[in-house]
């Protein structure tokens, strides 16, 4: 039997407001436990929530960026359940009437084709606190600093068909929320995480299979592994005569498997009802217009511009626009260089990305600034050094923090473009290798590479490659 996978993601993006969604408590990460929760966050009687306008503006930004409908009127609802880290006994969320509906986003599949993924809705809600199970023996600690932190829950249509597609979609949302400056995207700190709904069905069957929901995945790698494990599990289960039950599961990264957490609650278990403490959220046309006017250039637009104006491939443009900061770095290099966009792209995606990766740095923490990299590339373009020597110079720039010219000067790496100097080196190599010379002249063309290598060695790799080739051909043929 051939199986098809169906996946829908619910992504939680923590909105980058300074204060909470319904109170003035700060949202900064890493504070001492229970120092950033006030009476509203704790649900004391007699206090009232006040909606944070900045969180609303951020939700509108997301809606506009994904071509969604921004509801002129949406409603906050109480989702009721008991948990120690939820002192109010309910979470304020949006249910029947979310602020954002019917958006979409394009992802690029492995074969390079594009696929549009529908975004069913995005709604505003508050986060719960955190239960700390590790720090206390036989007890759980409760930290309510996170209670009331604003979240945008972004729900996709069940249109993803593999773990790879799910990861591509999640990365695209991650890129987008950071371009929009509405979420810092920090996955270790839990600012960006997702629940993956996974089901399988026989190829050709119209109805969806029963899904399992894998909760709280906070890395792209875990999303991919958890989904693939879940697909295998469900197929094996069904092929063995069993049936998938709808449930919530947890992914264990150490064991690489998903485990049941609880049976899935139905919406009516939560007894959703409109929160009587909050008025419906009304958004004026003018507010949406203002957000529209303040939109930055979005990743897809930027990538199209790189293709159009710089002549980059779709692939390169996609890589370079994956973060706003990387795109900006690249653009600065190109601006300083003038015209060599492809050269700049290759270096940013190659040597620079490699060095950043090796030292586990973000592009904003690069040891070689965009201006310094442009300085290095200028020396390739004006033939001061070859591309190969440039790699050596780059490494020195990275570790010593000096600019290209200083390193080229100090290490004497200037390319030899003086014809007579290259000729002298060639003649020297020829006289030291009479055997090879005779063989070459009797037709063994392959030895050309040997002579190039010898002259390069003799000149410390500094002979201009173009000149060397030309002069060597002439000299060798006598
Ligand atoms: P709930 O409110 O119970 O979380 P929703 O209907 O809002 O359920 O769907 C949640 C997510 O699950 C959405 O992303 C949706 O695309 C996805 N989904 C729904 N049905 C399936 C299914 N059969 N297989 C995989 N994903 C599904
Ligand atoms: Mg859900």
């Amino acid at each position: 039997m051939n199986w098809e996978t169906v996946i829908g993601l619910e992504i939680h993006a923590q909105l980058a407001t300074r204060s909470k969604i319904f109170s003035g408590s700060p949202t900064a990460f890493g504070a001492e436990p229970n120092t950033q929760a006030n009476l509203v966050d704790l649900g004391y009687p007699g206090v009232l929530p006040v909606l944070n306008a900045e969180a609303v503006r951020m939700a509108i930004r997301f809606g506009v960026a994904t071509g969604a409908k921004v509801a002129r009127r949406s409603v906050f609802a109480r989702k009721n359940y008991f948990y120690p880290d939820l002192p109010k006994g309910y979470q304020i969320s949006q249910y029947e009437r979310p602020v954002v509906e019917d958006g979409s986003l394009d992802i690029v599949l492995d074969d390079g084709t594009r696929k549009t993924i529908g975004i069913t809705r995005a709604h505003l809600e508050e986060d719960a606190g955190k239960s700390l199970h590790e720090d206390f023996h036989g007890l759980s600690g409760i930290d309510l600093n996170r209670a009331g932190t604003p979240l945008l829950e972004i729900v996709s249509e069940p249109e993803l068909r593999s773990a790879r597609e799910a990861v591509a979609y999640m990365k695209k949302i991650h890129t987008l929320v950071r371009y929009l400056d509405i979420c810092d995207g920090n996955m270790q700190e839990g600012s960006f995480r997702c629940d993956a709904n996974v089901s399988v069905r026989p190829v050709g069957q119209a109805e969806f299979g029963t899904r399992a929901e894998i909760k709280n995945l906070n890395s792209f790698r875990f999303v991919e592994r958890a989904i693939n494990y879940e697909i295998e599990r469900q197929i094996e289960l069904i092929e063995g005569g069993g049936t998938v039950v709808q449930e919530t599961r947890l992914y264990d990264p150490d064991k690489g498997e998903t485990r049941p957490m609880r049976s899935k609650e139905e919406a009516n278990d939560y007894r959703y009802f409109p929160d009587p403490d909050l008025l419906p959220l009304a958004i004026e046309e003018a507010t949406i217009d203002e957000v529209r006017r303040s939109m930055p250039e979005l990743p897809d637009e930027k990538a199209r511009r790189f293709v159009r104006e710089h002549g980059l491939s779709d692939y390169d443009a996609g890589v370079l626009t994956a973060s706003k900061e990387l795109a900006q770095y690249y653009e600065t290099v190109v601006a300083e260089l003038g015209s060599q966009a492809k050269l700049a792209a290759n270096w940013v995606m190659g040597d620079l990305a490699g060095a950043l990766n090796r030292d586990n740095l973000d592009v904003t923490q690069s040891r070689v600034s965009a201006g310094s990299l442009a300085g290095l590339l200028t020396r390739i373009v004006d033939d001061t050094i070859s591309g190969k020597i440039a790699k050596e110079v780059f490494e020195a720039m990275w570790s010593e923090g000096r600019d290209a010219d200083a390193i080229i000067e100090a290490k004497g790496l200037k390319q030899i473009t003086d014809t007579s100097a290259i000729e002298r080196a060639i003649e020297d190599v020829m006289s030291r290798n009479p055997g090879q010379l005779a063989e070459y002249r009797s037709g063994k063309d392959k030895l050309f590479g040997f002579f190039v290598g010898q002259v390069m060695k003799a000149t410390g790799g500094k002979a201009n490659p173009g000149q060397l080739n030309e002069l060597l051909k002439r000299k060798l043929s006598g």
Side-chain angles (χ1 to χ4, degrees), residues 101-121:
E101 273 181 295
D102 278 337
S104 71
L105 194 79
D106 282 1
I107 58 171
V108 178
L109 306 184
D110 287 339
D111 65 3
T113 58
R114 297 180 87 81
K115 177 174 174 180
T116 301
I117 305 299
I119 294 169
T120 318
R121 54 188 277 152

Side-chain angles (χ1 to χ4, degrees), residues 103-342:
S104 71
L105 194 79
D106 282 1
I107 58 171
V108 178
L109 306 184
D110 287 339
D111 65 3
T113 58
R114 297 180 87 81
K115 177 174 174 180
T116 301
I117 305 299
I119 294 169
T120 318
R121 54 188 277 152
H123 62 254
L124 285 164
E125 62 183 26
E126 59 178 346
D127 209 343
K130 234 191 249 173
S131 299
L132 308 167
H133 303 295
E134 274 105 46
D135 305 352
F136 309 96
H137 204 75
L139 296 168
S140 286
I142 303 291
D143 177 6
L144 293 168
N145 283 353
R146 207 178 61 183
T149 298
L151 299 177
L152 188 67
E153 176 171 338
I154 303 159
V155 182
S156 84
E157 288 291 298
E159 292 175 342
L160 301 157
R161 290 291 173 268
S162 69
R164 301 272 301 163
E165 285 185 21
V167 170
Y169 167 80
M170 190 176 174
K171 283 189 173 163
K172 199 67 189 280
I173 297 270
H174 189 247
T175 294
L176 185 62
V177 295
R178 284 178 305 140
Y179 266 73
L180 294 170
D181 277 330
I182 63 174
C183 172
D184 67 19
N186 190 322
M187 297 175 81
Q188 278 98 50
E189 293 178 3
S191 303
F192 191 84
R193 53 193 199 257
C194 93
D195 305 336
N197 295 269
V198 181
S199 66
V200 297
R201 63 179 169 186
V203 169
Q205 178 183 304
E207 309 85 64
F208 289 143
T210 303
R211 72 185 142 126
E213 179 175 1
I214 314 164
K215 278 279 178 201
N216 254 326
L217 297 162
N218 67 350
S219 92
F220 297 120
R221 197 178 313 144
F222 292 169
V223 169
E224 183 158 355
R225 289 189 188 157
I227 292 174
N228 280 329
Y229 175 89
E230 187 58 24
I231 295 167
E232 289 287 305
R233 185 188 72 86
Q234 293 184 12
I235 292 173
E236 265 175 42
L237 184 63
I238 300 169
E239 289 186 341
T243 48
V244 176
V245 290
Q246 187 168 332
E247 65 186 354
T248 302
R249 299 178 70 88
L250 270 187
Y251 177 66
D252 178 343
D254 297 327
K255 298 216 170 92
E257 60 182 34
T258 66
R259 279 199 300 272
M261 183 162 102
R262 55 170 189 255
S263 66
K264 171 80 185 165
E265 45 300 271
E266 297 296 328
N268 56 16
D269 294 334
Y270 288 122
R271 307 183 68 83
Y272 280 103
F273 64 87
D275 192 314
D277 288 345
L278 286 157
L279 289 169
L281 168 58
I283 297 175
E284 313 237 315
E285 202 64 46
T287 311
I288 301 171
D289 283 343
E290 197 193 306
V291 167
R292 209 169 258 130
R293 277 196 302 273
S294 71
M295 270 290 135
E297 183 180 39
L298 297 177
D300 284 1
E301 286 171 57
K302 206 185 271 294
R304 278 195 294 273
R305 181 166 60 79
F306 286 178
V307 171
R308 194 175 62 238
E309 290 177 4
H310 299 180
L312 296 187
S313 68
D314 284 335
Y315 177 81
D316 288 359
V319 172
L320 291 169
T321 52
S323 86
K324 196 163 54 177
E325 294 77 19
L326 185 68
Q328 190 175 27
Y329 186 105
Y330 158 77
E331 281 208 273
T332 308
V333 177
V334 175
E336 302 227 345
L337 262 180
S339 58
Q340 305 275 339
K342 182 63 188 160

Side-chain angles (χ1 to χ4, degrees), residues 332-334 336-337 368-379 397:
T332 308
V333 177
V334 175
E336 302 227 345
L337 262 180
V368 173
S369 71
S372 304
L373 181 59
L376 172 66
L377 302 189
T378 303
R379 294 295 164 256
M397 290 166 74

Side-chain angles (χ1 to χ4, degrees), residues 381-453:
V381 176
D382 70 12
D383 266 343
T384 304
I385 53 171
S386 67
K388 198 159 164 220
I389 293 283
K391 287 178 180 293
E392 193 183 323
V393 176
F394 179 82
E395 283 307 322
M397 290 166 74
W398 189 266
S399 53
E400 296 166 22
R402 287 192 293 168
D403 69 13
D405 286 344
I407 288 163
I408 293 168
E409 185 64 42
K411 298 195 184 231
L413 293 173
K414 237 189 199 124
Q415 187 159 249
I416 303 170
T417 50
D418 170 359
T419 312
S420 58
I422 299 175
E423 278 177 337
R424 270 199 305 281
I426 292 174
E427 280 157 14
D428 192 44
V429 166
M430 281 166 61
S431 65
R432 277 191 285 114
N433 299 281
Q436 279 88 344
L437 181 59
E439 278 185 66
Y440 178 83
R441 288 191 170 153
S442 67
K444 205 168 169 195
D445 293 349
K446 273 201 205 128
L447 279 172
F448 190 74
F450 165 80
F451 285 103
V452 171

